[in-house]
Amino acid sequence: MIPLIININCTMLPNNFAITQEMMAELISTVIRYPSTLFQSEAARMSICAMRLQEAQSRGFVECSQDSKFSIENTVRHNLESLNPQIAARRPWAILGPLLGVDNINKNLPEIKVLIVGPRTEAEILLYLSMGFQGKNIIGLDLISYSDFIVKGDMHDMPFKDEEFDIVIFSWVLGYSTNQKIAVKEAVRVLKDGGYICIGEQWDPAPIDAISSQMEIEKGYSLMGTVTTSTSDLRELIGEHFKESIFETQPLDHEKDRPGWITCLATIKK
């Protein structure tokens, strides 16, 4: 029998890297023993998420609420028309990476309970699963849901008990709010004292009204979202409950001519 060899050409390696049949068998065996490790592969995670979403859509299992009292107009419409797992391919790492660098979190992954606000699809949740967080401890909250991982609800009125979570993540979702402070206040309520609040938002050099006008032309509706310009904007939302900054990042001055990310990871005090 001729052994199967898969050649991977990569300019970063001095020679071709060969994966033998024995190696492939061991990789398959590892995935069978630890299925969640498969989600560490971006390609695999995106494919699985896309297939699950397509199945839910074909069976009519996608449920959605109306725009809430404090969400901007066309929030639900926009997210329904943008149910694409690729949106959460790389972006979640901007928060997950710093979280894994926190010693207390990294040492207690199986026990830590996480709320991801605005995941849209399962892609971000599967990434957290792949890194050691437990499925029973990961909950998504969104106005749209097709998955048991995602609770349908409003971030301004979270359907959870006080001090239920160790981590609350606002996953590029606060821009859809007309009253971000109420949403963050709800996050503080459901967080344990000393818990971690993580906020990711978009930096865009184009004025929001110009972006909205372009959307009106291209899609037939507009989004006049709330604009974030710096990490200080995010700290101010936490207000008196801000305890300590763990990690912050925003585009450097020479990078502000193109879209980027603004993130803040902090602990809170009650």
Side-chain angles (χ1 to χ4, degrees), residues 38-106:
L38 183 63
F39 304 142
Q40 291 182 13
S41 162
E42 182 179 310
R45 187 171 68 256
M46 293 299 105
S47 294
I48 291 171
C49 185
M51 286 188 287
R52 284 177 55 83
L53 174 59
Q54 186 177 33
E55 180 184 8
Q57 289 173 322
S58 66
R59 298 176 68 181
F61 286 169
V62 179
E63 301 178 351
C64 63
S65 304
Q66 300 296 317
D67 289 344
S68 71
K69 178 181 178 181
F70 295 112
S71 63
I72 64 174
E73 187 178 3
N74 294 316
T75 290
V76 172
R77 177 180 176 179
H78 175 69
N79 283 275
L80 271 176
E81 293 182 9
S82 307
L83 275 180
N84 182 355
Q86 289 293 337
I87 293 173
R90 301 283 176 89
R91 193 170 67 180
W93 279 110
I95 289 176
L96 178 56
L99 275 175
L100 292 175
V102 177
D103 191 58
N104 181 52
I105 293 174
N106 201 29

Side-chain angles (χ1 to χ4, degrees), residues 142-154:
D142 209 307
L143 292 172
I144 300 168
S145 176
Y146 65 95
S147 166
D148 289 341
F149 280 119
I150 303 172
V151 174
K152 190 175 67 172
D154 182 7

Side-chain angles (χ1 to χ4, degrees), residues 19-43:
I19 298 179
T20 65
Q21 189 173 25
E22 289 76 15
M23 290 178 182
M24 184 62 71
E26 181 59 31
L27 288 172
I28 293 171
S29 177
T30 299
V31 171
I32 291 173
R33 292 197 305 271
Y34 310 105
S36 64
T37 60
L38 183 63
F39 304 142
Q40 291 182 13
S41 162
E42 182 179 310

